[in-house]
Amino acid sequence: QVQLVESGGGLVQAGGSLRLSCAASGRTFSSYTMGWFRQAPGKEREFVAAISRSGGNTESRSGGNTYYADSVKGRFTISRDNAKNTVYLQMNSLKPEETAVYYCARGATGWYEGPHRSSYDYWGQGTQVTVSS
């Protein structure tokens, strides 16, 4: 059973930054795509970013290709450290409308298969991000 534990959420002013972390259990972390989603009150859970497995080399520390929702491109950066079984989400220039619970998820494969919740089979419990205006 895979467990994902997010951390790093909190309260930040508009324009500020936060770095979320997601620690995963298990010995095959590097073989899977990892993603971040968010869910605001009363809204559907939406895709934020994903990073595929290391391109051609699962022992690579830093991971493969990255993918972003249009709304966060240029402001958010997803990364992974396979040696630490951890994926990160650096969020800059945060906006009040990005207040949400942010979830980490493990993809069902090592490849990016689109921004769909159904492409992910394990989820963390979420961490609250609140952006004040």
Side-chain angles (χ1 to χ4, degrees), residues 42-97:
K43 294 189 176 181
E44 294 289 319
R45 192 171 300 187
E46 65 176 3
F47 171 78
V48 175
I51 183 167
S52 64
R53 62 179 280 178
S54 304
N57 178 8
T58 58
E59 299 306 314
S60 172
R61 184 163 183 156
S62 61
N65 296 326
T66 56
Y67 306 86
Y68 297 95
D70 288 344
S71 60
V72 307
K73 282 180 182 176
R75 298 185 298 117
F76 289 15
T77 302
I78 188 171
S79 62
R80 67 192 298 165
D81 187 331
N82 291 332
K84 295 182 178 180
N85 276 19
T86 300
V87 61
Y88 304 97
L89 185 68
Q90 177 67 43
M91 306 185 294
N92 299 329
S93 302
L94 281 161
K95 305 174 183 179
E97 56 264 37

Side-chain angles (χ1 to χ4, degrees), residues 3 15 21 26 37 39 46 54-55 80 132:
Q3 291 188 324
S21 299
F37 286 73
Q39 187 167 16
E46 65 176 3
S54 304
R80 67 192 298 165
S132 64

Side-chain angles (χ1 to χ4, degrees), residues 4 10 16 18 21-22 30-31 33 36-37 46 48-49 55 64 74-75 82-84 94 96 106 110 118 122 125 132:
L4 304 174
L18 281 176
S21 299
C22 172
S30 63
S31 299
T33 290
W36 287 95
F37 286 73
E46 65 176 3
V48 175
R75 298 185 298 117
N82 291 332
K84 295 182 178 180
L94 281 161
R106 195 196 79 167
S118 59
Y122 289 98
Q125 82 289 349
S132 64

